[in-house]
Amino acid sequence: VGSGSARGISRTCGRPVPAAIAGPARAPVSRPPMRAAMGRGGAAEMEPVGSEAGGGARSAVRYSDRISRLSERLSGLQHGLEHERHSRFDNLNHRMVDVEGRLSSAHEGLQQDCLALRERLEELRQDFEDERMSREAATGAGAQELGSVDLRLLQALEAEQEARRETEQRSLRSFDEKTAQLREELAQEG
């Protein structure tokens, strides 16, 4: 696999391969310079430059030091990522606890407000019922009083009509008596 290009494409056998398949682009590993040497049986082999006696041991130590440093860096990065993940989780957990607390307190406040509104509504309903009953009682008393006033007025009217009839009858009797007396006087003079 070749090194990744700027567009995230790796090359294999001259054909582009998407970065998702090829994997992340890797930094080239620096290797010690190599030179061709004759190996056993006359075959050409590649060996690092400076691998003559003593040089190979030093480069192997450097290579292992480098690997151990890289391993330490990787474990440090892994530890840092783990720590960051835990701190984010703790932060989110604290936020959720805070949101749950605020939601709970808002819910309790809303319940208290609803309870106060229910009590106020019940008081208003009771006041309305009391007022309705008092008005009905007042209306009933007023109707009863109106009925008694009406009865008294009717009785007074009937009494007055009766008195007027009696007065009319007396007036007519008196008129008839005077008329009869005048006729007698006229009959005696005439």
Side-chain angles (χ1 to χ4, degrees), residues 156-172:
L157 180 65
E158 286 175 359
E160 193 171 320
Q161 285 176 346
E162 185 64 32
R164 193 188 60 168
R165 277 188 228 122
E166 287 176 10
T167 305
E168 280 178 8
Q169 286 178 1
R170 270 187 267 141
S171 296
L172 283 175

Side-chain angles (χ1 to χ4, degrees), residues 40-128:
R40 289 185 227 149
E45 292 180 353
M46 298 296 285
E47 66 178 23
V49 174
S51 65
E52 292 88 27
R58 268 186 258 145
S59 68
V61 168
R62 276 188 257 149
Y63 188 69
S64 67
D65 285 344
R66 190 167 191 195
I67 288 177
S68 67
R69 276 185 276 144
L70 285 174
S71 176
E72 287 174 10
R73 283 179 67 192
L74 281 174
S75 68
L77 284 173
Q78 186 177 10
H79 179 70
L81 287 174
E82 189 81 15
H83 178 70
E84 185 177 343
R85 186 170 63 91
H86 283 299
S87 66
R88 282 184 181 175
F89 178 77
D90 289 342
N91 188 15
L92 284 175
N93 197 18
H94 287 299
R95 282 185 185 174
M96 285 183 63
V97 167
D98 184 43
V99 166
E100 285 177 358
R102 283 189 281 156
L103 181 65
S104 175
S105 64
H107 186 260
E108 288 173 5
L110 188 60
Q111 281 183 335
Q112 289 175 351
D113 290 346
C114 286
L115 184 62
L117 283 174
R118 280 187 192 144
E119 290 173 357
R120 180 68 180 137
L121 187 62
E122 184 61 29
E123 288 173 5
L124 288 173
R125 190 190 66 75
Q126 188 63 41
D127 290 346
F128 175 76

